[in-house]
Amino acid sequence: MVTRTIQRSLIVLLAFVVSGLLPGRAPVYAASRFSNDRITGSAIYRERIALTPAAVFEATLEDASRADAAAKVIKKVRRKNPGQVPIAFEIPYDPRRIDSRGTYVLRASIYEDGRLRFTSTRAYPVLTHGHGSKVMVVMRGTSGDAGRGRARAHALAPHPHRKT
C-alpha cells in the first residue's frame, strides 16, 4: 500500500516536472518541432507555366517589426519538386519567438536550377494584429524565367532589317 502511494506521488511529481508546472517556475514550452503552432497556406502564380522537377519552393516567416532594419527570418521551409500550383505548405514555428506587439510576414519564392523563377511581390501579414495563421500567397514571374533572358537579349539586339 505504501509502495503504491509512493509510486503515484512520483508519477504526479514527474508529470509536474515534465510540464514545468512546479510552484515558482514558469511553464516550459516544447520546442517548435513538438508544437502545434504553424502557419498553413498555399502559393500560386497566374502565369501558365509548368514547373519542372528541378523546382524548389521556399516559404519564409519573417519578423518585420523594425522599420529601420531588414526583416529577420524566424523560420524557412524548402520543398524540392513541389509539383504544380497551388502549392500547399506549412511552417511550424516556435511560439516563444512571437511577440504579440510585433509584425510578422510571410514571403514565398520558387527557384529552378538555382535561378529565382517566381516570388511574392509583397509581404503577407500573419499571426498578429488580427492576422491569422492561414495565408494565400500570390507570386509573379521574375526576370529569371527560363528563356525570358534570351528573349530580352534578342529584343535588345540590333535587328538586321532595321536602320540604327
Side-chain angles (χ1 to χ4, degrees), residues 36-64:
N36 288 329
D37 295 305
R38 58 191 71 248
I39 295 170
T40 59
S42 59
I44 63 168
Y45 54 82
R46 294 193 174 124
E47 292 86 348
R48 297 186 65 157
I49 301 171
L51 296 174
T52 68
V56 177
F57 173 77
E58 186 175 279
T60 308
L61 172 62
E62 301 174 352
D63 180 352

Side-chain angles (χ1 to χ4, degrees), residues 11-12 44 49 58 91 100 131 138-139 142-143 161 163-164:
I11 290 171
V12 170
I44 63 168
I49 301 171
E58 186 175 279
I91 303 177
S100 62
H131 301 287
V138 178
M139 298 179 289
T142 67
S143 60
H161 300 294
K163 293 182 181 179
T164 53

Side-chain angles (χ1 to χ4, degrees), residues 94-110:
D94 184 348
R96 295 175 295 179
R97 297 191 66 187
I98 305 301
D99 181 343
S100 62
R101 299 167 296 177
T103 300
Y104 300 90
V105 297
L106 187 124
R107 298 178 193 273
S109 300
I110 297 174

Side-chain angles (χ1 to χ4, degrees), residues 132-151:
S133 61
K134 293 185 181 191
V135 64
M136 166 69 91
V137 178
V138 178
M139 298 179 289
R140 291 185 178 252
T142 67
S143 60
D145 282 351
R148 187 179 270 188
R150 287 191 302 270

Side-chain angles (χ1 to χ4, degrees), residues 1-15:
M1 175 110 170
V2 173
T3 306
R4 192 169 209 134
T5 304
I6 292 173
Q7 284 179 336
R8 286 183 184 157
S9 297
L10 286 174
I11 290 171
V12 170
L13 180 62
L14 181 61

